[in-house]
Amino acid sequence: MLHLHSSEHRRDFIPHWRHKMNPRVILASFYLIATVGFIPVCLCAQGRYAFKLLKDLFVNYTSALRPVEDTNNIINVTLQITLSQIIDMDERNQILTTYLWIRQVWFDAYLTWNTTDYDGLDTIRIPSSYVWRPDVVLYNNADDQFSSSMETNVVIRHDGQIMWDQPAITKSSCKVDVSFFPFDVQHCRLTFGSWTHNGNQMDLHNALDSADLADFVENVEWEVQGMPAKKNVILYGCCSDPYPDITYTLHLKRRASFYIFNLLIPCMMISFLAPLGFYLPADSGEKVSLGVTVLLALTVFQLLVAESMPPSENVPLIGKYYIATMTMITASTALTIFIMNIHHCGPEAQPVPSWARRFILNYLARFCFVYDMGQSCVSVHTDQPAKKGNNCTINGQARGEDFALRLHEGCSQKVKDQFNEDASPTLSPQQRKEHQSGWRIGTFVEIEHGESAGATGETGASRKESVKKREILVESQCLCHQQALLRNVEYIANFYQEQKATQRRNAEWRKVAKVMDRFFMWIFFIMVFLMSLLIIGKAV
């Protein structure tokens, strides 16, 4: 009963009921207020009837037994799941943490009433602990604390229908397949069923064909592609009775942008540095250091991936890419050491074999665009070996290599040995005349050591530059000891010839090493490019 004794209460009451009454009722109310001073209103009638209903329903009720009139009857429970949020996906421990809204609907035969007996009250909300509840649990629960869901109220209708909505944070086991990480799709199952009641006592039904995703909060790492539901009836080995369950399969697709920009692209950039080790000059001393540095960098990325992946036999796709790249870099470092050994072969090296000269220095060098200085792709290459020999010129007159510097015995000479790249100056006619018993004072002897350009494809100008000239100025003081002088000159000429031959062999081996460097550089570039296309194709 609500009493209105003051004008302030009257002013507060009138606008509250004005929208529910017609003008005649409002005038009648004013009349009653003016004459009586109070108005009887049954605002607490619903609360009183709800209390009476609660008292009447639970007089002889127990929540320990199934609410069926006949124990042979089956109680049907309808299950509906609403996925609200994906909290975490622990790939290493294979645990999925989700936030779910679980709705269970069933009929209780002992919780019915006639609405007319309780002033039209058709529903009440009471704590869920007052009524019998289905023991539906998550079969593949992975929570170490076994924390239950929140204790919420149930909604009871007058015909005995009970609807129980409860939010729950569940941790379920999920078999994670990381074979295509970070472009993988996971299928996690959430199986709900009764723990003690078999199918002859309680049966489960799907409210919908799939979970409700209308209120789902988007996850930054995973994209939900669906969550279909399926009912299963399983016969376990312990019992002969069937046990129904409802399995929700959550289809998750990983958003790979984070892993592409933080793990994949840096690995690709590092991988493309590995073939460049073949392009470094062998004399720089950094070829092996570059390969080892790249290998260590990829090892760090490999450890980052291994920390988040489960220790299973399934190697992730990015892990396979790392292993393939590391194997390629290891092979490139080993080949670099082998090529550097060829480059620094030393003076004891044997001549380049004919097959290597023909295949590597001619064909493979042109294929890899490796040319000597002053040489182009249109230069003429011949297989004619280099002609070695000594050309001697005495005061401008040519002598063959069999020239023996015939000097008369009993003479002593002072020989001035000087090297000159340019041609000898033109001598006067008096200096070109030979003395009958020896050479005249001021005689010049030129000994040319070199090779023809047939083997190297050099032009005329370069052939002139390649010829080394030794000019000997003979100043005759006395014509004696010519045999000793002959041996000394021959020793100098032979030593110079051996030195030039060693330099030619070393130059050929260095060119072989350079050609192999370029060849392996292109091979490894192609391999890195193909591996990168393969892993990008998986992303597409």
Side-chain angles (χ1 to χ4, degrees):
M1 192 72 65
L2 181 62
H3 297 275
L4 303 176
H5 293 286
S6 62
S7 60
E8 181 179 359
H9 291 121
R10 296 189 187 98
R11 288 194 301 270
D12 294 340
F13 177 78
I14 292 171
H16 179 73
W17 292 94
R18 182 176 297 174
H19 68 282
K20 293 185 178 181
M21 297 182 180
N22 54 30
R24 295 182 181 180
V25 176
I26 295 175
L27 293 176
S29 300
F30 283 142
Y31 177 76
L32 291 174
I33 292 172
T35 56
V36 181
F38 65 92
I39 178 171
V41 180
C42 297
L43 297 178
C44 59
Q46 295 287 347
R48 181 168 60 85
Y49 284 113
F51 179 76
K52 182 178 182 300
L53 175 61
L54 180 63
K55 182 179 179 181
D56 294 341
L57 288 177
F58 292 95
V59 171
N60 296 319
Y61 184 84
T62 177
S63 60
L65 299 176
R66 287 190 307 124
V68 291
E69 296 178 352
D70 189 357
T71 57
N72 292 327
N73 293 340
I74 300 176
I75 184 169
N76 296 315
V77 178
T78 302
L79 183 65
Q80 179 181 348
I81 299 296
T82 299
L83 180 61
S84 178
Q85 185 180 0
I86 297 175
I87 298 177
D88 182 39
M89 167 63 88
D90 189 356
E91 293 92 348
R92 187 169 185 82
N93 297 320
Q94 303 188 72
I95 295 177
L96 173 66
T97 305
T98 55
Y99 178 42
L100 303 177
W101 298 346
I102 304 174
R103 170 175 291 183
Q104 302 178 51
V105 180
W106 69 94
F107 283 89
D108 195 320
Y110 301 112
L111 297 180
T112 59
W113 70 90
N114 191 357
T115 57
T116 58
D117 297 339
Y118 297 94
D119 197 23
L121 185 63
D122 58 349
T123 58
I124 58 172
R125 290 167 174 82
I126 60 174
S128 60
S129 58
Y130 286 17
V131 301
W132 176 89
R133 294 173 298 180
D135 57 342
V136 176
V137 296
L138 180 62
Y139 281 176
N140 56 335
N141 188 12
D143 192 357
D144 54 353
Q145 301 295 331
F146 287 97
S147 58
S148 60
S149 58
M150 185 183 299
E151 294 292 336
T152 57
N153 294 338
V154 295
V155 180
I156 305 176
R157 287 178 52 181
H158 66 280
D159 56 355
Q161 184 189 46
I162 299 178
M163 183 173 61
W164 184 23
D165 291 333
Q166 55 173 342
I169 296 177
T170 62
K171 290 184 178 181
S172 59
S173 60
C174 177
K175 184 179 179 181
V176 179
D177 185 9
V178 293
S179 300
F180 297 97
F181 175 85
F183 311 108
D184 53 335
V185 177
Q186 304 298 333
H187 305 282
C188 297
R189 293 178 174 85
L190 289 84
T191 303
F192 295 90
S194 176
W195 191 254
T196 58
H197 297 91
N198 55 46
N200 298 325
Q201 297 171 345
M202 189 181 73
D203 194 11
L204 288 177
H205 299 277
N206 298 330
L208 299 173
D209 293 334
S210 64
D212 187 7
L213 303 176
D215 298 320
F216 176 71
V217 179
E218 292 292 336
N219 189 270
V220 295
E221 184 178 2
W222 297 95
E223 177 185 355
V224 177
Q225 296 182 332
M227 193 175 179
K230 181 181 180 181
K231 179 181 177 180
N232 303 309
V233 179
I234 302 176
L235 294 174
Y236 293 97
C238 64
C239 312
S240 59
D241 297 324
Y243 282 83
D245 64 65
I246 297 178
T247 301
Y248 291 88
T249 304
L250 181 59
H251 301 285
L252 298 175
K253 181 180 180 182
R254 192 188 301 271
R255 302 181 190 272
S257 300
F258 173 81
Y259 300 97
I260 289 176
F261 287 100
N262 291 276
L263 292 179
L264 192 57
I265 292 181
C267 177
M268 290 182 179
M269 297 172 65
I270 293 174
S271 301
F272 276 99
L273 287 178
L276 293 178
F278 293 105
Y279 194 75
L280 279 176
D283 297 330
S284 65
E286 298 294 334
K287 295 171 72 69
V288 179
S289 301
L290 177 62
V292 174
T293 304
V294 172
L295 187 62
L296 292 177
L298 289 178
T299 304
V300 173
F301 283 102
Q302 175 68 18
L303 292 177
L304 292 177
V305 175
E307 287 179 356
S308 60
M309 294 293 102
S312 62
E313 296 182 356
N314 296 330
V315 181
L317 181 64
I318 191 172
K320 295 178 181 179
Y321 180 72
Y322 286 161
I323 293 298
T325 306
M326 292 168 66
T327 304
M328 184 191 66
I329 294 174
T330 303
S332 66
T333 306
L335 288 173
T336 299
I337 296 174
F338 174 72
I339 293 173
M340 288 183 65
N341 190 18
I342 295 178
H343 180 83
H344 300 284
C345 57
E348 68 277 2
Q350 298 295 327
V352 178
S354 59
W355 66 267
R357 183 181 292 107
R358 181 172 58 254
F359 176 72
I360 297 178
L361 298 182
N362 291 340
Y363 299 105
L364 195 59
R366 285 182 291 178
F367 179 75
C368 298
F369 305 102
V370 178
Y371 304 105
D372 293 333
M373 184 167 298
Q375 185 181 8
S376 63
C377 60
V378 296
S379 300
V380 179
H381 297 269
T382 61
D383 295 335
Q384 183 179 358
K387 295 180 180 179
K388 301 177 182 178
N390 299 331
N391 295 325
C392 300
T393 303
I394 302 177
N395 288 339
Q397 296 180 2
R399 295 288 187 273
E401 61 177 344
D402 57 346
F403 178 71
L405 293 177
R406 302 179 179 84
L407 300 175
H408 295 283
E409 298 182 356
C411 299
S412 64
Q413 298 178 351
K414 180 181 179 183
V415 180
K416 179 180 180 182
D417 188 2
Q418 65 181 17
F419 294 88
N420 188 9
E421 298 294 337
D422 299 330
S424 300
T426 305
L427 302 179
S428 60
Q430 292 78 9
Q431 293 177 338
R432 289 196 299 267
K433 294 181 179 179
E434 294 183 354
H435 195 267
Q436 294 180 356
S437 61
W439 289 336
R440 186 178 299 177
I441 299 176
T443 302
F444 287 85
V445 179
E446 290 182 2
I447 302 176
E448 297 180 358
H449 299 277
E451 60 184 11
S452 63
T456 59
E458 295 176 344
T459 59
S462 60
R463 182 167 63 251
K464 292 180 180 179
E465 294 176 358
S466 64
V467 175
K468 302 297 183 180
K469 296 181 180 180
R470 167 170 291 199
E471 185 179 55
I472 301 175
L473 175 62
V474 180
E475 298 179 358
S476 298
Q477 294 179 351
C478 61
L479 300 177
C480 62
H481 304 291
Q482 58 182 352
Q483 296 297 330
L485 177 61
L486 178 62
R487 287 194 299 269
N488 293 335
V489 172
E490 287 179 349
Y491 174 78
I492 294 174
N494 293 334
F495 179 79
Y496 185 75
Q497 183 178 0
E498 292 178 358
Q499 185 179 9
K500 293 299 295 180
T502 302
Q503 292 179 356
R504 285 195 299 270
R505 288 197 302 269
N506 292 340
E508 286 183 347
W509 282 116
R510 289 177 182 176
K511 186 175 181 181
V512 169
K514 186 176 181 181
V515 173
M516 294 178 65
D517 266 337
R518 296 296 186 272
F519 175 73
F520 286 118
M521 181 187 72
W522 290 114
I523 291 296
F524 280 89
F525 261 128
I526 294 173
M527 292 175 61
V528 172
F529 182 72
L530 291 179
M531 287 191 300
S532 302
L533 283 184
L534 178 64
I535 195 169
I536 292 175
K538 294 294 183 181
V540 176

